[in-house]
Amino acid sequence: MKVRRPAGPDGTLEPVRTWVEFSEGSGAPRVVAHAERELPPGGIPAYLAARGSGARSFVLWAGEDRRERVATLVTASAASGVATFQVLGPQGELIGTFVREKALRGRGLRTRWTVTQAGGPAAVGFKGRIFWWCVWWPLWPVQALIVLASLLGGGGDVARGPRRIIWRVDGRARLEFRSGGDRLLLHAPETDWRLGAALLVLLRAFDSPLGEPWDAAKQ
């Protein structure tokens, strides 16, 4: 694999601006990975064009110096609202896979995420609880007016749609994404932390238009 490293105006590497912190219990969080887009031959324009179809690709570095890969996420397929991603280790070994089925395009009214660690069972989760979606959707016309007012300089905060996801296997919770603080909880101790880190970064890359997807920058 070939790594493309963006350079700053003086020819030096730009700092990695997105990172993942990990903590156990009440312990202090520590940075375990730094995320950076893996750009195709066409650079940022090509990445953003592919992004529109649901494709994503990024590297998790052990440090800001980009000397050691922790994991790499690649898009195996992306079409008709369904995208499949693979998480690969430093030697190209498979760590796990993610499947994202967009709401109303896949098998339900909510976006469905399937997480499978290599050699393990598939854990399925849905974005947001049905109850909160039923509360949020009737308010969307009001939210649209707030967005318009914000664009016209009037300010205002928009309530984002429900984002919490709990992945389960046979009724047992294995992973949980909490929108407050954008945290991912690893309930199953056998979960590879690299898979969890890649999932968290990927979820942030699919943030809603009302949010700030970290990989959508045009430079």
Side-chain angles (χ1 to χ4, degrees):
M1 291 181 285
K2 189 174 182 179
V3 179
R4 294 178 177 271
R5 300 183 176 184
D10 58 354
T12 60
L13 292 178
E14 294 182 346
V16 182
R17 299 184 178 89
T18 301
W19 60 88
V20 178
E21 293 182 337
F22 180 81
S23 62
E24 297 181 86
S26 59
R30 66 182 189 278
V31 176
V32 295
H34 300 260
E36 181 177 42
R37 292 180 296 192
E38 182 92 290
L39 299 179
I44 293 178
Y47 180 90
L48 295 179
R51 189 180 186 280
S53 68
R56 302 289 191 276
S57 59
F58 57 79
V59 180
L60 294 181
W61 300 103
E64 290 186 281
D65 55 9
R66 300 175 173 89
R67 292 183 179 180
E68 179 184 351
R69 284 181 184 248
V70 170
T72 303
L73 180 134
V74 298
T75 300
S77 63
S80 302
V82 180
T84 300
F85 308 93
Q86 292 182 329
V87 182
L88 308 176
Q91 306 303 319
E93 71 278 13
L94 180 66
I95 297 175
T97 60
F98 306 137
V99 178
R100 178 182 184 267
E101 300 173 71
K102 192 174 181 180
L104 304 178
R105 299 283 188 90
R107 290 181 279 181
L109 299 176
R110 296 174 292 167
T111 297
R112 172 187 171 116
W113 285 89
T114 302
V115 176
T116 307
Q117 184 165 307
V124 178
F126 295 88
K127 182 180 178 180
R129 297 176 62 180
I130 292 179
F131 172 80
W132 290 115
W133 279 116
C134 291
V135 171
W136 188 83
W137 274 115
L139 298 176
W140 174 241
V142 178
Q143 305 294 340
L145 292 176
I146 296 176
V147 171
L148 179 60
S150 299
L151 294 176
L152 296 177
D157 295 323
V158 179
R160 299 169 66 180
R163 297 192 297 145
R164 184 183 182 187
I165 307 174
I166 300 177
W167 287 266
R168 302 180 187 275
V169 175
D170 296 329
R172 175 192 171 199
R174 299 179 68 90
L175 297 158
E176 179 181 355
F177 173 72
R178 293 184 179 179
S179 56
D182 288 329
R183 295 183 298 158
L184 183 70
L185 306 181
L186 308 182
H187 293 302
E190 64 272 20
T191 302
D192 191 319
W193 71 267
R194 298 172 299 175
L195 188 70
L199 177 59
L200 181 57
V201 173
L202 183 61
L203 289 171
R204 291 298 309 276
F206 276 102
D207 208 347
S208 71
L210 301 179
E212 297 180 354
W214 71 272
D215 70 323
K218 297 181 179 180
Q219 59 181 3

